[in-house]
Amino acid sequence: MGDKKYNIIVAVAGNPNVGKSTLFNILTGKIAHVANWPGVTVERKEGEKVYKGRKIRFVDLPGTYGISATSLEEVIAREYIISGEPDVVLVLVDGTAPERTLYLPVQILELTPNVVIAITKSDLIHRVGIHIHVDKLEEILKVPVVEVSAIHGSGLRELLDAIIAVAEGRRRRKETLKIDYGGLEPFISEIEKIVRKSEILSEYPPRWLAIRLLEGDPRLEDIIRSRDGEDLLKNVRRVVEAVRRGIGKEPVELITTARFNYVDSVAREVVVRIRIEEKEGIFEKMVKHEVISIFVSSLLLISVFSIIFTLNSGFPLNLIFRLLGWMSIAEMLETYSIIGLMNELFNLLAGFLTQYLTELNTPSWLVSLLADGVISGVGSILSFLPLIILTFFLLSLLEDSGIAARLAYSFNSLLNKFGLSGRAIYPLVISLGCNVPGVLSSRAALEEEERVQIIISTPFVPCQARLIVILAFITTYFSSSIIQALVMFVIYLIALAIAMLTSLIIRRVLYGKSEPPLFLLEIPPIHKPSLKVVWWLTWDYSKHFLKKAGLIILSLSIATWFLLNYGPMGFATSPKDSFAAIIGKILTPFLSLYGISQEKAWMIGFALFQGLIAKEGLIESIAMLQGEGTSIKGALLALELTPVQAFSLLLLFTLYVPCIPTIASIKQEVSENKLVLIAVGLMLSIAIFLSLLVSTLLLWLWAG
Amino acid sequence: MVSDIHTTLEAVPPGKKARITGLDAGPGLATRLMQMGLTPGVEVEVISRNRGPILVKVRGVMIALSRGMAKKIFVKII
């Protein structure tokens, strides 16, 4: 049921780190369409190419090592291949590691004969001393094999020609690949007979089905059960039992080994490796020494975030310049921070619009809605965008260069202490930018338990929106820059400690596991990142922020405008008579626990509600409550907080709940309402308990 | 003299090579390990073995695995 608009549809499959994104990008030039795979939030990218009069659509499958359905990605890849939509499956083989990466095309060839193999990184192959006999490989596998280099753009025409030839039936294998499974063959044919008779899974090739069922495939078993195939499963189990008794080994081990033996035999015939002493780069050396590797990795992460923080707000470089006595540079950094400039821009814009619309005799409520509601709302999204993009750009640079895998390796031991594996470093670091993609990237975890730990604990990591709130408060309420830095440091430390402890407690208490999660990760060679791919990754992450946060922040701004400007009596002349004040007053008794006076409490109360929807809205709503023309600093000062109150409120603000979009992503990822409730309950109770505790303790110390 | 010691990958000293003889893992984990090239019969070179994860080279690819994982892989040192 392919799309009639396209002559040929190509599914692109490959291992992670095989250079798939780069090749996909070069082949298609641009991404034509990005959506999610049906029912899941794994991204589906499509691109198109017109070549020799044919419109070819490329569909990027998730990077997988196989199609055994051990992960969501593998299920997606397999079910798309079997769906009948793709005319050709293009499978990528890493030219620098053919022995391992030939496994995927062999596994796919058992499922469909319509395959083209591309050997990637052809520019690198010879340099590392590898020669691949392409013709021979074609002869053995009976499908076109093309060496390509995305960097040099070589081999792309041949690849497209091969794709067309297979799609149009000129160079196609007649049937799927049959690997000889030796002693297992009688068992395979027995299951094949059972499968053919039952016709429950007629869309799959019977032999492939038989092999998969023998290996054990939870996904297929689920499908069979959903089609009332209990009898079929019972018969299969009988055969599996017979193998276990007869051969004394697990069928899955026998089959994978046989498949790899076949791959090895093919590789022996087509791959020649000349031993070239591999030069060890600084990173290769680094990962070998644990202490050095943690040191270098931490340094790397700290520098990345120093760049981001500095461009964002001037901090912490401004502090360093101040200490060095270079006041003018420090001030320049503070004035020309991205957020500062963007805010300036939108204030100007709102001013112009107000003037222009007033001249046109537009009703004043509409002017106010557009200027104060819409522009300031859009402004608050856009002022974050450069920052978010920058954060993800630097992180994508780490990812595409192969450094990220080394970070994961380096941090494994440290994270083990908190019940996480090195793979968690990525979601944690991303969360410093924005919690939404942080929660989504929890999929990096191998174990379900670790994934849930990451999902529930990463929202405690202060994101850039919270950084803005923290910065606004500390620059208002603490005069010395040393104390400002100290307060900031303590808040980050507390928040990160809570994130780590939460993870550990969930693992120990909820799952009752005392040992750290298993860790398994390919460490790709360090390479120069492709800017195109980096941009692509950056855009992927940033989009989540834009789409989810964008719409919500915009509607929130309009809602806020309404709540602030209208009250039970209609249009409110002062915010005190507005709906906002009524909402804010709900929290007055709670805020009085922090010693905040009645007349100020409702503003903070309302800001807390606003902060639920988007943290940066917290500061804005305080500014809006003070009336137009109040600077953020002025508005915050008007709250008349003591330093102790400011600090404890900051803790509350940082910890209570990141934002609604983050909660929505948690829900999407855990799909269990109980866990969502646990997560939110945990955040609220920790935030309230800890900030009150700190407030009480500090006041007691102050008085004592 | 060829040493012929059966042990787990966790105990192989750095710089040494070993051949995988079997896996002691559930089906899901075993499949993952094997798809990454860690199949019975394959030769593995241990690159480094510090306090943290073990680094091995298998089928031309560098793989990091935790000690817990390495304990599930039976090998014969060669």
Side-chain angles (χ1 to χ4, degrees):
Chain A
M1 38 151 216
D3 197 330
K4 281 283 171 291
K5 251 171 57 200
Y6 296 91
N7 304 104
I8 299 169
I9 296 178
V10 182
V12 187
N15 286 187
N17 304 313
V18 76
K20 192 152 70 73
S21 306
T22 320
L23 184 69
F24 188 87
N25 231 306
I26 303 278
L27 269 179
T28 59
K30 65 175 169 71
I31 308 161
H33 183 65
V34 182
N36 284 340
W37 290 97
V40 289
T41 46
V42 175
E43 211 148 73
R44 167 176 171 153
K45 290 190 208 69
E46 295 181 11
E48 58 174 74
K49 174 98 186 167
V50 178
Y51 181 75
K52 292 199 173 160
R54 280 104 168 155
K55 275 182 99 173
I56 308 174
R57 183 169 66 160
F58 290 91
V59 179
D60 193 23
L61 297 176
T64 58
Y65 290 106
I67 48 166
S68 307
T70 53
S71 67
L72 183 61
E73 281 78 9
E74 291 189 9
V75 171
I76 291 168
R78 184 167 90 190
E79 292 186 353
Y80 184 63
I81 292 171
I82 205 74
S83 72
E85 192 173 295
D87 301 293
V88 178
V89 183
L90 172 62
V91 194
L92 310 191
V93 167
D94 185 344
T96 62
E99 297 88 346
R100 212 280 302 285
T101 47
L102 262 171
Y103 182 79
L104 182 66
V106 164
Q107 214 189 6
I108 291 177
L109 271 168
E110 288 186 279
L111 180 61
T112 169
N114 308 335
V115 168
V116 172
I117 295 176
I119 297 176
T120 60
K121 307 179 187 171
S122 73
D123 48 298
L124 275 178
I125 301 179
H126 301 293
R127 240 193 294 155
V128 295
I130 296 175
H131 291 269
I132 299 174
H133 197 330
V134 171
D135 295 346
K136 186 93 185 184
L137 186 55
E138 280 192 348
E139 201 184 298
I140 299 172
L141 294 181
K142 299 188 185 66
V143 293
V145 179
V146 185
E147 277 191 330
V148 295
S149 162
I151 305 285
H152 298 153
S154 62
L156 297 181
R157 283 178 173 281
E158 291 88 332
L159 184 60
L160 289 166
D161 285 334
I163 287 170
I164 293 176
V166 169
E168 295 174 357
R170 278 176 280 122
R171 284 181 73 183
R172 187 185 289 182
R173 271 184 76 100
K174 299 261 173 334
E175 49 194 17
T176 56
L177 177 71
K178 281 201 174 65
I179 294 173
D180 184 2
Y181 288 103
L184 282 177
E185 283 296 337
F187 300 99
I188 294 173
S189 4
E190 200 179 328
I191 300 184
E192 203 179 327
K193 251 182 265 161
I194 301 172
V195 167
R196 273 182 200 281
K197 224 165 44 197
S198 91
E199 288 176 356
I200 279 185
L201 288 163
S202 49
E203 70 265 43
Y204 293 91
R207 181 179 162 86
W208 180 84
L209 206 52
I211 296 168
R212 285 303 311 152
L213 288 174
L214 194 56
E215 281 183 81
D217 191 309
R219 172 73 187 167
L220 284 176
E221 286 159 18
D222 281 348
I223 298 177
I224 294 173
R225 251 178 244 119
S226 73
R227 297 179 190 174
D228 295 324
E230 268 305 333
D231 284 352
L232 173 64
L233 282 182
K234 224 189 307 169
N235 287 330
V236 169
R237 268 197 293 272
R238 199 169 36 77
V239 180
V240 172
E241 237 357 272
V243 174
R244 283 196 188 121
R245 261 183 288 115
I247 309 182
K249 277 193 168 169
E250 283 297 320
V252 57
E253 193 176 320
L254 295 166
I255 288 173
T256 316
T257 308
R259 201 179 284 131
F260 251 118
N261 285 342
Y262 174 77
V263 171
D264 287 341
S265 72
V266 174
R268 262 196 303 278
E269 281 192 63
V270 301
V271 181
V272 180
R273 265 182 191 268
I274 302 162
R275 188 93 189 159
I276 291 181
E277 269 317 307
E278 286 162 57
K279 267 221 299 256
E280 278 191 340
I282 197 158
F283 271 101
E284 312 304 323
K285 286 203 185 101
M286 169 197 114
V287 293
K288 289 193 186 174
H289 303 279
E290 202 198 5
V291 180
I292 300 177
S293 80
I294 288 208
F295 179 72
V296 176
S297 305
S298 311
L299 210 63
L300 200 69
L301 282 181
I302 290 171
S303 351
V304 164
F305 275 89
S306 297
I307 296 175
I308 295 166
F309 281 22
T310 301
L311 285 172
N312 179 7
S313 59
F315 183 89
L317 264 190
N318 62 340
L319 189 69
I320 296 169
F321 283 122
R322 248 175 228 290
L323 289 176
L324 290 172
W326 298 347
M327 295 299 175
S328 54
I329 300 179
E331 267 161 35
M332 197 185 77
L333 276 175
E334 284 156 18
T335 321
Y336 296 109
S337 67
I338 296 181
I339 298 279
L341 286 175
M342 294 294 281
N343 273 335
E344 201 81 343
L345 185 75
F346 282 99
N347 280 342
L348 273 176
L349 208 65
F352 279 132
L353 191 77
T354 310
Q355 205 182 357
Y356 178 71
L357 288 177
T358 314
E359 275 165 24
L360 287 178
N361 288 326
T362 316
S364 64
W365 68 266
L366 187 61
V367 176
S368 167
L369 171 66
L370 290 175
D372 304 332
V374 177
I375 299 259
S376 77
V378 174
S380 75
I381 308 163
L382 289 185
S383 63
F384 269 91
L385 194 60
L387 181 69
I388 293 283
I389 290 180
L390 181 78
T391 311
F392 292 132
F393 179 79
L394 291 173
L395 292 177
S396 307
L397 216 58
L398 293 183
E399 189 175 340
D400 193 51
S401 60
I403 295 176
R406 281 157 182 81
L407 293 182
Y409 167 81
S410 305
F411 280 102
N412 188 63
S413 305
L414 182 67
L415 289 170
N416 273 182
K417 298 193 171 48
F418 304 105
L420 294 167
S421 80
R423 282 171 176 262
I425 192 70
Y426 217 59
L428 286 171
V429 167
I430 286 181
S431 290
L432 283 167
C434 176
N435 288 171
V436 172
V439 167
L440 293 178
S441 62
S442 62
R443 294 193 189 120
L446 274 185
E447 279 180 14
E448 181 60 16
E449 292 86 351
E450 189 186 5
R451 203 174 69 88
V452 173
Q453 286 167 250
I454 294 174
I455 293 170
I456 298 183
S457 61
T458 47
F460 284 112
V461 176
C463 61
Q464 299 284 293
R466 278 176 275 184
L467 173 65
I468 305 293
V469 178
I470 297 172
L471 281 168
F473 268 85
I474 61 175
T475 47
T476 307
Y477 281 105
F478 303 94
S479 50
S480 135
S481 43
I482 304 269
I483 295 189
Q484 289 176 5
L486 192 70
V487 170
M488 170 117 138
F489 180 74
V490 168
I491 287 179
Y492 265 78
L493 199 69
I494 291 177
L496 290 174
I498 289 174
M500 292 294 96
L501 286 175
T502 307
S503 151
L504 187 65
I505 290 167
I506 293 173
R507 189 168 187 86
R508 290 275 167 86
V509 178
L510 201 64
Y511 294 117
K513 288 199 160 187
S514 54
E515 71 282 9
L518 296 171
F519 177 69
L520 176 70
L521 185 70
E522 181 180 342
I523 311 283
I526 294 274
H527 57 277
K528 211 171 82 197
S530 143
L531 275 187
K532 260 192 177 172
V533 174
V534 168
W535 169 244
W536 194 359
L537 288 171
T538 308
W539 184 238
D540 272 4
Y541 289 127
S542 310
K543 214 180 42 210
H544 290 300
F545 173 81
L546 249 193
K547 253 204 305 211
K548 292 224 172 62
L551 197 67
I552 290 174
I553 295 175
L554 181 61
S555 24
L556 170 77
S557 314
I558 296 172
T560 312
W561 175 86
F562 175 77
L563 291 176
L564 277 173
N565 287 284
Y566 286 85
M569 322 288 252
F571 194 82
T573 42
S574 152
K576 284 197 181 79
D577 309 320
S578 64
F579 287 122
I582 298 171
I583 296 172
K585 278 186 191 122
I586 300 172
L587 288 180
T588 307
F590 163 65
L591 286 165
S592 68
L593 295 176
Y594 296 85
I596 292 164
S597 66
Q598 282 254 311
E599 68 225 73
K600 306 288 176 195
W602 71 271
M603 297 189 201
I604 298 171
F606 182 63
L608 277 168
F609 278 111
Q610 293 284 51
L612 268 185
I613 303 174
K615 267 293 157 62
E616 58 275 27
L618 211 148
I619 296 287
E620 253 180 38
S621 56
I622 291 178
M624 278 164 99
L625 287 173
Q626 303 285 346
E628 277 149 56
T630 323
S631 73
I632 285 182
K633 196 164 175 166
L636 291 183
L637 268 179
L639 292 178
E640 293 168 353
L641 300 175
T642 64
V644 171
Q645 285 170 340
F647 182 71
S648 26
L649 278 184
L650 263 185
L651 268 183
L652 177 70
F653 291 163
T654 309
L655 298 174
Y656 75 106
V657 162
C659 58
I660 301 275
T662 303
I663 308 282
S665 342
I666 294 177
K667 166 133 184 56
Q668 191 185 332
E669 286 301 308
V670 298
S671 68
E672 231 184 288
N673 289 331
K674 196 186 87 187
L675 281 174
V676 182
L677 284 178
I678 289 181
V680 176
L682 209 60
M683 290 179 217
L684 287 175
S685 44
I686 289 179
I688 293 170
F689 173 74
L690 204 71
S691 58
L692 274 178
L693 183 75
V694 165
S695 162
T696 320
L697 269 179
L698 284 179
L699 278 178
W700 182 69
L701 281 174
W702 218 261
Chain B
M1 202 185 83
V2 183
S3 54
D4 187 27
I5 314 162
H6 289 270
T7 176
T8 69
L9 186 56
E10 202 256 341
V12 180
K16 285 267 186 211
K17 286 183 181 172
R19 192 175 298 285
I20 295 181
T21 52
L23 303 172
D24 170 35
L29 188 60
T31 307
R32 268 177 190 269
L33 282 167
M34 290 193 284
Q35 285 186 352
M36 288 186 86
L38 293 155
T39 52
V42 79
E43 202 180 289
V44 183
E45 185 185 349
V46 176
I47 303 289
S48 104
R49 195 182 65 135
N50 297 317
R51 226 157 36 81
I54 295 170
L55 272 185
V56 299
K57 200 148 197 178
V58 62
R59 296 179 202 266
V61 181
M62 182 114 84
I63 289 171
L65 63 172
S66 56
R67 296 191 157 237
M69 195 80 107
K71 275 185 189 151
K72 294 174 185 289
I73 301 172
F74 297 116
V75 297
K76 194 173 125 181
I77 297 178
I78 46 179

